Amino acid sequence: DAQLQQQQSAQIKVDFVEGSAEALPFPENTFDSIVCNFGILHFYNPGSFLRESYRVLRPGGKVSFSAWAPPARTEGFSIALESIAEAGNPDVEGLPEGPAFFDYGDSEQAMTVLQELGFKDMNSIELSDMTWDNVQNGEMLYKILLDGTSRTREVLLGQTPEETAAIQSLMVKKYNDVTDGGKRPLSMPA
């Protein structure tokens, strides 16, 4: 019943600890499970996060993470990155080096890294039916990436006004081509 669930959840003690995912402030063998939802692609060194996860997990513990599939399969990112490459500058000055954004969206590559770190009984599940149903046009896709991402946002903000206009225009065209004029959602597997 709802009242019992509320009482039980009120008894759960949660501690929030601020720290770096690449240098977890916990002793070895502390956790049974670690979950990272679309965070691994934002870490400066994702391998350090996985190494630290392995260290703080108890034997048999699990790490679960999600990452976007490579751009060839994520239509929203493909539209944006192709448009930037064709009409703008993908190498924005002043943008710090970062990891390859889509590395851990490739299951074979992710599994290889996990195995090298000592993880066992690994499993990879692709969410191939994920779509962005709410993106209605190319202008909206541009705005979503500008307002809802970090590295892609900085690349978009680093364009000249002329490049920005050309990128936006190309994204509108590519979105219409890919979605048959908006008749279907963007495929965004993870």
Side-chain angles (χ1 to χ4, degrees):
D1 100 348
Q3 186 176 11
L4 179 60
Q5 284 181 333
Q6 187 177 11
Q7 289 173 345
Q8 288 173 338
S9 66
Q11 296 174 7
I12 296 173
K13 185 177 183 284
V14 176
D15 293 323
F16 290 92
V17 177
E18 190 173 320
S20 170
E22 297 176 29
L24 295 170
F26 303 104
E28 293 179 10
N29 304 318
T30 302
F31 299 102
D32 295 315
S33 180
I34 294 175
V35 178
C36 182
N37 190 24
F38 291 103
I40 196 165
L41 42 93
H42 295 288
F43 298 143
Y44 183 76
N45 187 341
S48 292
F49 159 70
L50 293 172
R51 202 170 3 271
E52 281 293 281
S53 295
Y54 186 79
R55 181 184 67 78
V56 301
L57 283 169
R58 291 184 182 113
K62 304 287 182 193
V63 62
S64 301
F65 61 89
S66 55
W68 295 114
R73 298 188 1 252
T74 50
E75 293 173 335
F77 287 116
S78 179
I79 289 169
L81 297 174
E82 287 175 10
S83 297
I84 292 167
E86 292 172 29
N89 176 13
D91 300 315
V92 172
E93 189 175 321
L95 189 63
E97 287 292 318
F101 189 77
F102 298 98
D103 279 357
Y104 290 88
D106 177 310
S107 8
E108 285 184 29
Q109 185 172 344
M111 298 287 261
T112 298
V113 171
L114 291 167
Q115 190 172 27
E116 288 171 357
L117 291 171
F119 285 95
K120 299 187 180 355
D121 300 321
M122 298 170 298
N123 186 11
S124 177
I125 300 169
E126 181 172 306
L127 304 173
S128 56
D129 59 349
M130 281 183 57
T131 60
W132 280 0
D133 300 357
N134 61 328
V135 180
Q136 299 167 358
N137 53 50
E139 293 98 341
M140 189 176 194
L141 176 60
Y142 179 89
K143 183 161 177 36
I144 287 170
L145 295 174
L146 184 65
D147 294 342
T149 64
S150 52
R151 193 163 190 84
T152 303
R153 170 191 170 83
E154 292 306 312
V155 171
L156 292 172
L157 289 174
Q159 306 300 314
T160 67
E162 297 78 18
E163 290 168 336
T164 297
I167 290 167
Q168 288 173 327
S169 176
L170 194 51
M171 284 181 68
V172 167
K173 179 188 179 320
K174 287 180 179 290
Y175 174 90
N176 287 331
D177 291 347
V178 166
T179 65
D180 193 23
K183 292 179 184 168
R184 70 163 184 82
L186 291 169
S187 176
M188 295 295 292

